[in-house]
């Protein structure tokens, strides 16, 4: 397929590389800055531009991979003269209805649930894709694109995807922030964060075969007050971090109480 990429950030970069690797052709890349568009086209091909008006008027697919906050404003501008072209956004939190009234006839969602960095290549074969379309044509195109790079493609409604994205925030973004907090605590005693890697890897391996509830360990499960209070006191000079520790400890304990 001939694809126009709207966006040149982390997701657009990795998705563009994967689609090109699957045999699709990137014909153009739009970014707010020409430098960013140019950097991506050097990797995936196509013509770079920082002007929506300069984008091709036709393509098999337009893929929008920009910040959620600008999608609604961008779509009507992109639709000018291109309303008959299929278009997809890649956001986990935006509903299909964001396309309503924009001028597009065929539209949908192509959401790869993964964390992305420009520098780190992602194995898309293992990335689950969640797709949605406003008609059979859009759904068919979304499925064709997704299955060309991934072995795990699922149709999902906008409402269900909202909850999926929320779950991903807990499983990825919040967990990564906990890694950062851990690194800060370690820095106080001059230890590198990599001492945590075997622990992190074992925890990730456990939840492949165990439910996270069953995999949970630590003083909060049994609510060992002596340990919890001692650790909480270590954070006395960092009230926000202490509050996070106390709240998570209480949440873990409550989740492991017998159901009434």
């Amino acid at each position: 397929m001939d694809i126009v990429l709207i966006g040149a950030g982390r997701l657009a970069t990795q998705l563009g590389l994967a689609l090109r690797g699957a045999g699709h052709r990137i014909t153009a890349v739009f970014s707010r800055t020409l430098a960013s568009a140019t950097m991506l086209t050097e990797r995936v091909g196509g013509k770079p531009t920082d002007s929506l008006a300069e984008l091709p008027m036709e393509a098999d697919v337009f893929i929008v991979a920009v910040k959620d906050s600008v999608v609604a404003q961008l779509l009507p501008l992109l639709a000018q003269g291109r309303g008959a072209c299929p278009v997809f956004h890649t956001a986990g939190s935006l509903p299909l209805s964001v396309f309503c009234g924009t001028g597009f006839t065929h539209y949908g969602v192509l959401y790869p649930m993964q964390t992305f960095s420009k520098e780190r290549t992602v194995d898309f074969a293992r990335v689950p894709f969640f797709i949605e379309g406003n008609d059979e044509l859009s759904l068919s195109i979304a499925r064709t694109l997704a299955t060309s790079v991934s072995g795990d493609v699922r149709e999902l409604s906008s409402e269900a995807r909202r909850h999926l994205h929320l779950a991903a925030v807990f499983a990825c973004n919040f967990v990564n922030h906990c890694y950062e907090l851990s690194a800060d605590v370690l820095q106080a005693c001059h230890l590198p964060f990599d001492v945590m890697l075997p622990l992190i890897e074992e925890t990730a391996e456990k939840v492949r075969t165990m439910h996270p509830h069953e995999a949970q360990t630590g003083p909060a499960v049994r609510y060992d007050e002596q340990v919890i209070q001692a650790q909480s006191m270590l954070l006395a000079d960092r009230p926000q971090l202490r509050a996070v520790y106390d709240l998570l400890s209480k949440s873990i304990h409550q989740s492991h109480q017998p159901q009434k």
Side-chain angles (χ1 to χ4, degrees):
M1 290 186 180
D2 285 352
I3 299 170
V4 172
L5 277 179
I6 311 300
R10 291 172 292 183
L11 192 158
T13 296
Q14 294 301 324
L15 183 57
L17 289 168
L19 289 169
R20 185 188 185 189
H24 302 287
R25 189 166 74 100
I26 309 300
T27 61
V29 174
F30 165 84
S31 178
R32 290 181 304 159
T33 63
L34 185 59
S36 294
T38 300
M39 286 179 63
L40 183 50
T41 57
E42 289 173 353
R43 301 179 69 182
V44 302
K47 176 184 177 182
T49 182
D50 57 359
S51 170
L52 291 174
E54 293 181 359
L55 287 172
M57 300 306 293
E58 293 185 359
D60 294 322
V61 182
F62 285 80
I63 296 179
V64 178
V66 297
K67 290 195 304 183
D68 293 7
S69 59
V70 302
V71 171
Q73 301 169 352
L74 182 147
L75 289 175
L77 300 175
L78 180 63
Q80 294 176 11
R82 308 179 184 90
C85 298
V87 61
F88 298 88
H89 77 61
T90 56
S93 59
L94 288 180
L96 187 67
S97 60
V98 73
F99 291 102
C100 294
T102 62
F104 282 107
T105 305
H106 308 290
Y107 49 83
V109 180
L110 191 67
Y111 172 50
M113 192 183 68
Q114 185 54 279
T115 178
F116 296 101
S117 300
K118 286 187 179 182
E119 305 79 12
R120 184 176 174 84
T121 301
V122 171
D123 179 10
F124 270 83
R126 301 179 61 208
V127 175
F129 271 74
F130 297 88
I131 62 173
E132 191 177 8
N134 75 313
D135 56 22
E136 285 302 318
L137 174 62
S138 301
L139 199 56
S140 174
I141 293 172
R143 186 173 289 108
T144 297
L145 285 172
T147 56
S148 72
V149 296
S150 172
D152 186 355
V153 178
R154 313 178 193 209
E155 187 177 345
L156 196 69
S157 69
S158 291
E159 181 59 25
R161 186 163 31 83
R162 288 176 62 214
H163 289 84
L164 174 73
H165 189 254
L166 173 60
V169 167
F170 275 99
C172 175
N173 307 125
F174 287 175
V175 168
N176 189 74
H177 183 59
C178 285
Y179 294 161
E180 182 181 4
L181 298 179
S182 173
D184 288 345
V185 172
L186 288 169
Q187 188 175 27
C189 55
H190 309 291
L191 285 171
F193 180 70
D194 60 17
V195 301
M196 291 293 163
L197 295 181
L199 179 64
I200 291 169
E201 291 163 2
E202 175 60 19
T203 303
E205 283 299 316
K206 279 203 298 185
V207 295
R208 289 181 178 274
T209 57
M210 301 171 64
H211 189 281
H213 181 84
E214 300 301 323
Q216 187 70 57
T217 60
V221 173
R222 58 190 181 275
Y223 212 71
D224 187 329
E225 292 190 58
Q226 184 174 352
V227 174
I228 291 172
Q229 289 177 5
Q231 291 185 339
S232 182
M233 283 301 298
L234 287 175
L235 303 171
D237 61 339
R238 303 179 67 180
Q240 181 169 304
L241 182 54
R242 184 179 187 180
V244 170
Y245 176 88
D246 291 343
L247 184 60
L248 286 175
S249 295
K250 183 178 293 185
S251 178
I252 291 169
H253 177 65
Q254 290 178 346
S255 73
H256 282 78
Q257 293 304 294
Q259 295 296 319
K260 295 182 180 180

